[in-house]
Amino acid sequence: MTSRRDPGPRFAEEVLDPLRRETVECDVAPRVMARILAERDAALAASAGPQRYAWVASLALAGASLVFLISTVMVMVTGGDEGVQQATGFLASGWQVVLVLGRLVADLAGRILAEALPMARKVLALLEVSAPLLKGAGTLAAAGGLCSILFSTYVFASARRTAPRADLNGGTR
Amino acid sequence: MPGEPADVDLIREVLAGRVERFEILVRRYQRLVATAALRMGTPRMEIEDVTSEVFYKVYRSLAKYRPEHALSTWLYRITVNAALDRRRSTRHESKMEELSPSLADGRPALDEEADRKQRALLLQEALGRVPGHYRAPLVLAHIEGLPLDEIARTLDLPEGTVKSRLFRARAMLKEIIRRHYPALAPTGAEGDAS
């Protein structure tokens, strides 16, 4: 196709006017909705089936495993299995070790408390005695701080009053 | 419209699982979609197929809709793409409805309404000769009456590209009319069109 210059929007408006007035009436809603609903139902059925089966299968498997485990343990215990006896002995020894360790920890904590409590009482008594002194020192420190702020403000204000002014060219006046 | 649910609300409801609410959207926009498909050169007998395909695509990708743009812009985009895809796959370019010999010959028809319809058919055929990526901005600008920025959004193109395609599409249309459909040339523009 040969390239020509643009005839302008008015040309296009005029030429295409009959198409602008043409509209199409159609009703596709039932068709579209039937397709969408059919797809949704199919998707629901497809997703619900395997999910349900998976749940049932895993629950059944879990139940069977539990029954198998319990029955095996019972057979081993009632049959006087050597492994069970060893495990029971090991658990009993472990329990003894835990008990001894617990006692040791409790003794240690008791001793520490017995040493620390009198010391804490002494510190508290000292604080009670020195409370008025500490209060006075705090008040004095606060007053000193206030004085320092007031003095700094005064110094800063007088420095600003007497400072040389800078002009726009970088010099001073 | 007062009393009627807004597009955004309907979309939210559909996404929340009330699929049946999508029917309201279909009924609200099916005329716009069908008309745009026709204007994009879809043959009348395929309009319903294209329209339902467009709404099905809209439903499938409803979660991707961005409410800051009008739903119609999105629908135009999907319709334009569907119409172009359809034409590419079926190659119906020249299978338009039969034209009356009077217009095809460039002679005036007796009945005004029939004349207008035949002119529209002839125009569709002429538009069908404009390549798809030029036809789309031409249809959206001069038939659908969309502003430039909305056309750019609809076609997912920069405004500059849309402008240059519009220039070229108008020049192509003028050339097609001059060569093959002289009866469609605007009155008083014979000299310009030749």
Side-chain angles (χ1 to χ4, degrees):
Chain A
M1 189 161 301
T2 52
S3 174
R4 305 271 170 176
R5 83 186 159 81
D6 176 21
R10 270 187 62 191
F11 166 83
E13 301 279 337
E14 202 174 332
V15 165
L16 298 172
D17 182 59
L19 277 185
R20 206 175 303 123
R21 278 184 270 159
E22 248 205 342
T23 56
V24 183
E25 296 294 339
C26 66
D27 186 14
V28 294
R31 193 169 150 182
V32 173
M33 292 314 293
R35 190 175 172 187
I36 288 171
L37 292 174
E39 193 195 57
R40 186 190 64 171
D41 293 346
L44 279 177
S47 66
Q51 263 183 6
R52 202 180 305 140
Y53 291 136
W55 270 104
V56 171
S58 54
L59 279 175
L61 202 64
S65 306
L66 194 67
V67 168
F68 179 70
L69 182 73
I70 290 168
S71 57
T72 308
V73 169
M74 280 179 73
V75 165
M76 285 167 83
V77 169
T78 52
D81 187 79
E82 199 183 327
V84 173
Q85 284 173 1
Q86 280 181 359
T88 317
F90 178 75
L91 282 175
S93 319
W95 179 240
Q96 287 298 324
V97 172
V98 169
L99 277 178
V100 171
L101 273 174
R103 258 183 230 134
L104 279 173
V105 170
D107 281 352
L108 193 68
R111 270 184 210 158
I112 289 169
L113 276 176
E115 293 289 329
L117 270 175
M119 216 182 222
R121 271 194 214 109
K122 280 171 194 162
V123 171
L124 269 176
L126 197 67
L127 279 174
E128 269 172 27
V129 171
S130 59
L133 281 173
L134 285 173
K135 211 185 275 177
T139 313
L140 267 176
L146 187 67
C147 287
S148 158
I149 291 167
L150 288 173
F151 182 69
S152 304
T153 311
Y154 169 75
V155 169
F156 183 69
S158 54
R160 273 192 72 183
R161 266 202 305 275
T162 55
R165 289 186 185 176
D167 62 17
L168 291 173
N169 299 321
T172 51
R173 282 182 281 164
Chain B
M1 254 172 275
E4 285 189 19
D7 294 346
V8 184
D9 296 334
L10 285 171
I11 289 170
R12 266 195 213 113
E13 285 182 50
V14 174
L15 288 174
R18 293 186 65 190
V19 179
E20 67 282 356
R21 300 288 280 170
F22 190 67
E23 189 171 351
I24 301 174
L25 284 175
V26 178
R27 292 200 184 282
R28 191 176 287 175
Y29 287 105
Q30 59 188 359
R31 189 173 170 188
L32 178 141
V33 170
T35 305
L38 177 77
R39 289 166 177 176
M40 276 303 297
T42 308
R44 271 185 187 274
M45 59 188 169
E46 290 179 15
I47 291 289
E48 285 206 2
D49 287 347
V50 172
T51 307
S52 55
E53 196 59 38
V54 165
F55 280 110
Y56 186 65
K57 277 183 187 165
V58 167
Y59 171 75
R60 295 294 299 265
S61 48
L62 209 54
K64 290 182 199 160
Y65 171 65
R66 289 181 302 165
E68 58 263 32
H69 301 312
L71 181 64
S72 56
T73 305
W74 196 42
L75 285 171
Y76 273 129
R77 176 189 290 199
I78 296 176
T79 308
V80 166
N81 289 335
L84 292 179
D85 286 349
R86 189 92 174 179
R87 287 182 76 94
R88 261 196 292 273
S89 60
T90 53
R91 285 273 161 218
H92 267 114
E93 299 281 340
S94 57
K95 283 193 174 179
M96 306 297 284
E97 282 107 314
E98 215 167 287
L99 302 166
S100 81
S102 63
L103 263 174
D105 294 341
R107 280 174 285 161
L110 292 173
D111 181 26
E112 203 176 308
E113 180 60 19
D115 175 51
R116 195 186 63 75
K117 280 191 172 170
Q118 290 298 326
R119 191 174 274 273
L121 285 174
L122 206 56
L123 257 173
Q124 274 179 35
E125 198 181 273
L127 267 178
R129 288 173 180 253
V130 179
H133 56 288
Y134 289 107
R135 194 189 320 137
L138 191 68
V139 168
L140 292 176
H142 297 298
I143 303 179
E144 299 293 343
L146 300 189
L148 199 67
D149 59 334
E150 205 170 331
I151 298 172
R153 261 203 306 277
T154 303
L155 300 176
D156 204 13
L157 290 170
E159 284 189 21
T161 310
V162 173
K163 258 188 203 168
S164 65
R165 283 193 186 178
L166 263 177
F167 293 158
R168 187 129 171 72
R170 285 195 293 252
M172 281 179 183
L173 184 66
K174 185 185 168 189
E175 185 64 17
I176 288 165
I177 287 174
R178 189 185 68 81
R179 281 191 185 182
H180 305 285
Y181 309 92
L184 291 177
T187 47
E190 259 76 29
D192 192 34
S194 57

